Amino acid sequence: MRITVLAGGVGAARFLRGLKAAAPGARITVIGNTGDDITLCGLRVCPDLDTVMYTLGGGISEEQGWGRAGETFTVAGELAAYGGDTPWFTLGDKDFATHIMRTKLLAEGKPLSEVTRMLCERWRPGVRLLPMSDDVVETHVHLDDGPVVHFQEWWVRLHATVPARAIVPHGAAEATPAPGVLEAIANADFILFPPSNPVVSIGPILAVPGIREAVAAKTVVGVSGIIGGAPVRGMADACLTAIGVETSATAVAAHYGAGLLDGWLVDEQDKAAADDPALAPIAVRALPLYMRDLATTTVIARASVDLAQELSMEPNG
Ligand code: FO1
C-alpha cells in the first residue's frame, strides 16, 4: 500500500508515528511544508521537515514537539552575548548541527530534497520525506496594522496574538514541486491530511503549482485538528481567523472543499458535522481524535486508512 501524506507541524509528525504503526507494510511518502523555513545566523532552519525527521527518527523533544530531546543551549547563549540574531527563536546545540549540515550541503549546490534525503540517512524516519519544493517559499503574515512579518516571528515572538489580515506563502506561485512530489501523489493509493494547521502547514503545500490539482485527482482523507471549536495545540484558530474561516471541524473541511476532500475524521464532539449540508459530498466519520499516546494515534491513523480504502473502492472514488 502506498500512502502519501501532506504534513507540517507537530500534529502531523505525531500522526505519522501512528500511521507507521497502523500500516506497518505501507510505503509512506511525506510531503513536508517548507513555508515555516527561516534563515537564522546564516543557517537554514526547516522546522516542519525537522519535526517529522526527529519525531519518526527518535530524536524529538516530546514535550515541545519540535527540536531535540536532551538539549543544551550553550551556542544560543553565546550568540545572545553577541547581541544574537533572533533571541525569540531558540536553537539548541544538537539542533544547530542539523542546520549547519543542511546549510553546508545547500551551499555545495545540493537541492533541499537531496539535502533532506541525506539528513534522513542518519535518522531513518521510516518514510520518504520530501520537501514540497526545492524553491524557497516562506509564509509571511500581513498584520492588520500594516507590517509584514515572517511566520515564525508572528508565531513565536508575537504568539499569533497580533491580528493578521492575510497569511501568504511568499514565493509559492513561482515554486515547482520538488522531484518526486507529483509522482508520490499520482502513484499513491490515497492521500492523507493529518491534523496539521490547514492554513500554514497544509495550505502552503497546496499553493505550489500542480500539487493541489494532483491531490484533487486522488482519494483524500483528512483528520480534523480542531476539536470542539478549538485547535488541539498550536494557534490554528488565529490562522483561520486571519483568512476568515470559523474555527470548527466543519469549517475547516469546507475550507479544503469537496473538490479536495473525500473523507473527513472529526472528534465525537463534532459528530454533527456528518449531517452538515456544507459537507454533503464528503464522507464524515466521528471518533475520539485526541492523540493522547501512540495507541490512540494508531487507532486514528487506522481509521483514516480504512476510510480512504472504503472510498477508493467506490466507483467515483
Ligand atoms: N517554537 C517556539 O514557540 N519557540 C521557539 O523558540 C522555537 C524554536 C524552534 C527551533 C527549531 C524548530 O525546528 C522549531 C522551533 N519552534 C519554536 C517551533 C516552530 O515555530 C514550529 O515548529 C513550526 O514552525 C510550526 O509548526
Side-chain angles (χ1 to χ4, degrees), residues 14-310:
R14 288 181 174 158
F15 173 84
L16 284 163
R17 244 186 330 214
L19 182 62
K20 283 175 65 180
R27 275 184 291 146
I28 301 170
T29 300
V30 177
I31 299 172
N33 170 43
T34 59
D36 290 7
D37 295 4
I38 186 169
T39 297
L40 297 171
C41 294
L43 299 175
R44 194 65 180 158
V45 180
C46 300
D48 282 353
L49 297 178
D50 291 348
T51 285
V52 171
M53 186 172 73
Y54 289 157
T55 299
L56 300 186
I60 197 75
S61 159
E62 281 297 345
E63 56 277 358
Q64 281 179 170
W66 47 266
R68 289 285 305 280
E71 265 294 13
T72 52
F73 298 91
T74 304
V75 175
E78 290 300 306
L79 286 169
Y82 283 113
D85 185 14
T86 48
W88 42 270
F89 197 87
T90 311
L91 292 171
D93 296 325
K94 296 179 186 175
D95 200 27
F96 262 112
T98 298
H99 312 313
I100 291 166
M101 183 54 74
R102 176 184 291 118
T103 304
K104 167 201 179 286
L105 295 170
L106 288 169
E108 290 171 359
K110 292 177 175 66
L112 181 59
S113 48
E114 174 61 6
V115 171
T116 303
R117 188 194 62 74
M118 294 172 77
L119 296 175
C120 285
E121 279 178 358
R122 170 190 174 184
W123 289 100
R124 305 233 167 278
V127 302
R128 186 168 55 136
L129 176 58
L130 301 175
M132 66 193 198
S133 175
D134 283 335
D135 302 312
V136 172
V137 178
E138 289 190 359
T139 299
H140 291 171
V141 179
H142 297 236
L143 304 179
D144 277 4
D145 53 5
V148 178
V149 296
H150 186 287
F151 164 75
Q152 293 295 351
E153 181 165 4
W154 186 63
W155 191 257
V156 176
R157 189 172 73 79
L158 301 174
H159 306 290
T161 54
V162 176
R165 56 190 160 76
I167 296 179
V168 178
H170 183 74
E174 296 74 40
T176 54
V181 163
L182 294 181
E183 293 80 358
I185 295 168
N187 298 337
D189 291 288
F190 49 82
I191 313 294
L192 298 180
F193 289 2
S196 290
N197 185 314
V199 183
V200 295
S201 295
I202 305 292
I205 302 172
L206 294 172
V208 175
I211 292 183
R212 175 182 289 272
E213 297 78 5
V215 171
K218 306 295 293 188
T219 296
V220 181
V221 170
V223 181
S224 178
I226 305 292
I227 295 180
V232 172
R233 63 170 285 126
M235 299 166 279
D237 44 347
C239 303
L240 289 164
T241 302
I243 64 166
V245 174
E246 178 201 325
T247 298
S248 73
T250 298
V252 171
H255 168 65
Y256 283 131
L260 212 46
L261 275 189
D262 301 286
W264 185 241
L265 299 189
V266 301
D267 188 79
E268 286 168 331
Q269 293 176 49
D270 303 305
K271 61 177 179 290
D275 306 318
D276 192 311
L279 305 190
I282 299 170
V284 179
R285 299 283 189 280
L287 73 157
L289 271 200
Y290 278 103
M291 300 190 292
R292 297 188 197 291
D293 51 26
L294 182 57
T296 51
T297 306
T298 303
V299 169
I300 295 164
R302 185 71 240 175
S304 69
V305 170
D306 291 346
L307 180 54
Q309 288 184 310
E310 176 194 324

